[in-house]
Structure formats: C-alpha cells, structure tokens
Amino acid sequence: MFRLYIAALLATTLTSTAPSREVAVTIDDLPTASVLGNDLQAAQQTTATLLAALTRNGIPAIGFVNESKLRTDGQTDPRRVALLGQWLDAGFELGNHTFSHVDFHSTPLDEYEREVLDGEEVTKRLLQEHGKRIRYFRHPLLHAGRSASERQRFEGFLKQHGYTVAPITIDNYDYVFAAAYDRAGARPDAAAQKAIADAYISYMEAVTAYYEQQSIAIVGREVRQTLLIHASALNASTLDRLASMFRARGYRFISLDRALEDPAYRHRDGYYGPAGITWLHRWAIADGKPGTIFKGEPDVPAWVEQASR
Ligand SMILES: [Zn+2]
C-alpha cells in the first residue's frame, strides 16, 4: 500500500514538473528603474541582486537599455556603464529601449529614430567588446505606432540598422507594485514591503494563468511566452519566487531568440490604437476577434495602487 502511494506520488510529480511551457524573460528600463530616482548605490544593489538571481535560476534574460540613465550631470558615468558591463559579463543579452524612453505616439518619427541611434552608442560598443552585436528593439510603453505607414517606415529603419522588434505576450503592471515597494522601502517599512512582494507574486501568477488562456483563445495553443518586467528593486528581491512560480506551472526559461522562433510571432500586428498592449491582443485585433475574449485580466489590488502613489 505504502509502495503504491509512493509510486503514485512519483508519477504525479514527474508529470507535473515535466516542463512543457516556455517563457523568455525580458527586462526593461536598464540599468534600473525606480520611482525614487536614479541613485547610484541603489542601482548597484539592484543590479547585483537581479543578476545573481537570474544566474541562480538559469534564466537567459535580455535587458533593454535607456542610455540617458547612464549620465550623471549630463556626462556618461563609467560607474553606470559598468552596470551594463555586469549584464554582459554574466552572459546576458542587451537591447535598445531608446535613449530617453520616448513615446512613439507623441514623438515625430525622425526624432524617434534619432532616439534609437542615440540609445545604442554605449550598448553597441559594450556588446562588441563581448563579441556580440545589438539586435533587439523594445518600444517604450509598448507604443508601436498609430498608423500602418508610420509603423512600416519605422520597421524599415530598424531593419536597416540590424534590429528586430522584441514583442511581449505577458503584459502586466509590475511597475505599480515596484513603485509601492520602493516607497515602503524609503520609509522604511519592511512589513509593508513583504506584503507588497507577496501580493506581487500572487498577481503575477494570476496574470500568467490569464495569458495562458488568452494564448489558447487567440492562437489556439500556448505559444512560447515572452514576459515583460522592469529592472526594479522589487524584481531583484522577488525573482527567486517569480522563477519558482513559473517552474511550478511547468515552464522552462528560454532565450528571446528561441521564443521568437515560434511561428505565432510572424502574425501581423493589427493594432493602431493609443494603448500599449500585449502582442497576443494585437494578433487578435488583426484577426478581427471580438473584444470580449480579452476579458478577465487580473487587477492590481487597490491598496497596492494607492501605496504606489
Ligand atoms: Zn520601458
């Protein structure tokens, strides 16, 4: 009887931990993002903690850089450039997120393109020093253009400069939790930080479950997901828990390259509205799917929203 129980337990364990789902982790607003500003010491701490956790969990992440954040008093600060060097030394990839996080929807195209070129100077050189080249572009705010002609012109520009757009499927409000977490840390209030971290992990699990369902509803299967999170103190300190949550749902961590090999990503982006939305919904809109299938996205708890301000 006991042996049977063990065998049954083993069988469930084997089936439930066999990874069948895949997710690429993409991290925006490097070197770091905080509502409290661009303090060097905090940035160093966040970077070290985040990179250690990514390494520990075997996550082949890519970080998207805003090079304006490398400046101190208008000058490129080698101590901030060193933070990006740490990403590359640890074997991670870097991409371009424009120089100063400009909005495609309120910036003239020429200026937006100049922001891409201004935003690659340091990153390109660092990548070269590591035998790599800059390959991916992530739109700030996920604003990907208000018209077909503008998007087409910009994508031609990206191609000419060797870039591929880095889409995301798992969109979320991690930055709202991160802001609340930073403000609690500044008071300092460790109990509040713990409560925010707990709420964040629950929220992210609900969000992940939602996008698994959305993927089935829109694509007919679970695609290789691409997660967007930010380079915040919250993600640095909760990454082990976030990674455990994904593993428990049967995920393994893959590179952005591998994720984008999924043919789902060849789907047309049919959205030209004002919002920054997941590519899953862009594909659904391209197919003329009814808006009702988007229902059920988990909300940020009101108390977290309040604490973020
Ligand atoms: Zn961003």
Side-chain angles (χ1 to χ4, degrees):
M1 188 63 197
F2 182 68
R3 239 185 9 222
L4 266 178
Y5 171 75
I6 293 290
L9 193 70
L10 200 64
T12 5
T13 313
L14 285 177
T15 42
S16 67
T17 56
S20 54
R21 291 169 165 158
E22 296 177 67
V23 63
V25 176
T26 74
I27 304 180
D28 282 13
D29 300 5
L30 263 58
T32 57
S34 169
V35 281
L36 302 179
N38 201 10
D39 178 69
L40 178 65
Q41 220 180 335
Q44 287 167 334
Q45 169 90 49
T46 295
T47 302
T49 312
L50 190 57
L51 292 179
L54 288 170
T55 302
R56 195 160 54 234
N57 288 283
I59 301 173
I62 177 167
F64 288 92
V65 180
N66 299 125
E67 290 198 6
S68 64
K69 291 183 174 179
L70 302 176
R71 308 237 169 143
T72 303
D73 301 326
Q75 298 293 317
T76 301
D77 184 338
R79 296 168 303 176
R80 295 184 189 277
V81 174
L83 299 174
L84 297 184
Q86 286 171 29
W87 278 75
L88 296 174
D89 290 344
F92 299 106
E93 173 112 28
L94 295 176
N96 190 332
H97 195 38
T98 75
F99 178 73
S100 62
H101 210 272
V102 282
D103 180 352
F104 196 1
H105 295 175
S106 60
T107 310
L109 190 53
D110 289 339
E111 202 182 306
Y112 195 70
E113 290 176 353
R114 196 162 52 244
E115 273 272 340
V116 175
L117 299 180
D118 289 346
E120 70 179 10
E121 234 172 84
V122 177
T123 313
K124 207 171 172 176
R125 175 173 58 75
L126 288 173
L127 278 160
Q128 268 163 8
E129 286 169 13
H130 287 77
K132 291 178 173 171
R133 62 180 188 85
I134 197 157
R135 298 184 296 140
Y136 287 111
F137 175 78
R138 160 75 39 82
H139 300 87
L141 313 166
L142 304 181
H143 284 178
R146 297 296 308 270
S147 72
S149 61
E150 199 175 51
R151 182 176 301 161
Q152 201 177 9
R153 204 189 118 186
F154 181 59
E155 284 182 0
F157 166 88
L158 286 180
K159 204 172 168 192
Q160 190 191 328
H161 291 274
Y163 285 101
T164 301
V165 168
I168 58 108
T169 54
I170 305 181
D171 191 20
N172 60 81
Y173 290 96
D174 75 320
Y175 52 90
V176 176
F177 289 85
Y181 187 83
D182 283 343
R183 293 195 195 289
R187 287 200 291 275
D189 185 343
Q193 281 194 301
K194 190 186 175 303
I196 293 158
D198 290 347
Y200 174 57
I201 298 300
S202 304
Y203 165 81
M204 289 300 273
E205 174 142 38
V207 162
T208 303
Y210 168 73
Y211 283 112
E212 287 160 4
Q213 291 310 310
Q214 289 288 287
S215 182
I216 292 167
I218 293 161
V219 184
R221 63 183 170 85
E222 288 192 36
V223 299
R224 292 178 189 171
Q225 301 276 8
T226 35
L227 170 71
L228 162 61
I229 56 174
H230 293 81
S232 60
L234 172 67
N235 281 317
S237 65
T238 59
L239 200 81
D240 285 329
R241 293 174 69 187
L242 196 63
S244 296
M245 180 276 281
F246 275 102
R247 275 193 298 268
R249 298 186 73 81
Y251 281 90
R252 73 183 184 96
F253 298 106
I254 58 169
S255 66
L256 182 57
D257 290 358
R258 179 169 165 84
L260 300 192
E261 284 166 12
D262 187 321
Y265 289 91
R266 281 178 230 144
H267 205 294
R268 196 170 65 84
D269 168 0
Y271 179 68
Y272 298 100
I277 60 170
T278 163
W279 263 251
L280 278 170
H281 291 168
R282 292 169 183 275
W283 302 333
I285 291 163
D287 289 348
K289 294 222 159 76
T292 47
I293 67 165
F294 302 160
K295 274 204 264 182
E297 187 179 343
D299 289 321
V300 176
W303 67 270
V304 175
E305 189 93 50
Q306 196 119 37
S308 74
R309 290 187 219 116

